[in-house]
Amino acid sequence: MTTLQQHSQPHPLRHSPRQKPLAPLLSIGAALLLGACAVGGRATAPATVYDFGPPAARMGTAFSYVSVEVKAPAWLDSPAIVYRLAYDDSLRLREYAASRWAGVPTQLLAQRLRQSLGTAGLNSNAALDCQVRVDVQEFAQVFEQAAVSQGRLQGEASLVDGERRLIARQSFSLRQAAGSADAAGGVRALVATSDDLAQLLAAWLSTLDRSGQLASCRAGRSMAGGAP
């Protein structure tokens, strides 16, 4: 804008009576450019960012001798909030343009599960721990109708020992109705399914513990000098 103002008045030594004054033309050009700047520089509303809320309260016994890892397909490896229209090509993945997660959903989900289960964090003894591997196959808001949707979390959890041998496997398919047909409703429904998954895993691990299937996990952590 400064450059236009500097050249808005022609130099007196270069102006002659036969030349048409440039000032009106430059004024028109400046006005057009100012209009373009106003349109191009219009502030875009920032995206609404969601996470899973405050840290989750631990559910009963802490499984400090178990670590948690969450994996998902490549299409979930971004902060996008994904939804599907079951009534209009359910094979098509769609993303909310003005809303996103605070991080990659699998990382947010893993953090939520560790908080709820009281599992081991990313520490130096993680390789010696038994591990719950959560393979997420679906984490999306699904619209059955234009105004009716639900959060869906589907996949499979596997418990492996310190040498990564399979101990047990548990599939899950969780759904929670969304309170509104938008990103906010989808996020709350998906967070609710995550808490449902934490409850399911807590009950599953407790059952395995009572049956003695976690004995090797406890022994491995004790030998590593961790919590009993």
Side-chain angles (χ1 to χ4, degrees):
M1 311 316 297
T2 303
T3 303
L4 284 175
Q5 291 173 356
Q6 289 175 343
H7 293 82
S8 61
Q9 295 296 330
H11 197 285
L13 296 179
R14 296 181 181 178
H15 181 64
S16 68
R18 294 183 180 182
Q19 293 176 328
K20 294 182 179 180
L22 295 177
L25 295 176
L26 289 173
S27 297
I28 294 173
L32 292 174
L33 186 56
L34 284 171
C37 290
V39 173
R42 184 177 298 163
T44 302
T48 303
V49 181
Y50 295 94
D51 62 11
F52 280 31
R58 196 177 71 198
M59 297 179 179
T61 304
F63 296 94
S64 59
Y65 45 88
V66 175
S67 61
V68 173
E69 179 184 20
V70 178
K71 294 184 177 181
W75 57 266
L76 276 173
D77 192 23
S78 82
I81 299 174
V82 178
Y83 67 94
R84 298 180 189 271
L85 303 181
Y87 59 89
D88 181 19
D89 193 358
S90 62
L91 301 180
R92 180 181 172 186
L93 292 171
R94 307 166 197 252
E95 301 175 358
Y96 284 106
S99 301
R100 63 178 177 82
W101 293 109
V104 178
T106 52
Q107 296 175 352
L108 297 175
L109 176 58
Q111 180 183 44
R112 190 74 164 184
L113 294 177
R114 292 181 187 122
Q115 292 167 350
S116 299
L117 299 173
T119 63
L122 299 178
N123 52 48
S124 59
N125 291 328
L128 300 174
D129 295 329
C130 285
Q131 186 179 79
V132 175
R133 292 180 173 176
V134 179
D135 292 303
V136 175
Q137 298 161 4
E138 178 80 313
F139 188 71
Q141 181 181 12
V142 180
F143 285 82
E144 298 293 343
Q145 302 174 26
V148 180
S149 65
Q150 55 188 213
R152 293 188 184 179
L153 174 55
Q154 296 174 251
E156 185 177 72
S158 301
L159 178 67
V160 296
D161 63 17
E163 297 181 3
R164 300 306 178 247
R165 294 172 299 194
L166 181 65
I167 297 175
R169 181 176 287 133
Q170 173 72 51
S171 60
F172 55 86
S173 180
L174 305 167
R175 302 182 181 190
Q176 283 282 353
S180 57
D182 53 14
V187 163
R188 286 169 174 78
L190 289 169
V191 172
T193 62
S194 301
D195 290 336
D196 288 346
L197 178 58
Q199 292 181 354
L200 184 152
L201 294 179
W204 179 55
L205 290 173
S206 295
T207 299
L208 293 175
D209 194 19
R210 288 193 297 270
S211 65
Q213 290 178 272
L214 297 187
S216 62
C217 303
R218 290 179 180 274
R221 173 49 72 94
S222 297
M223 290 175 63

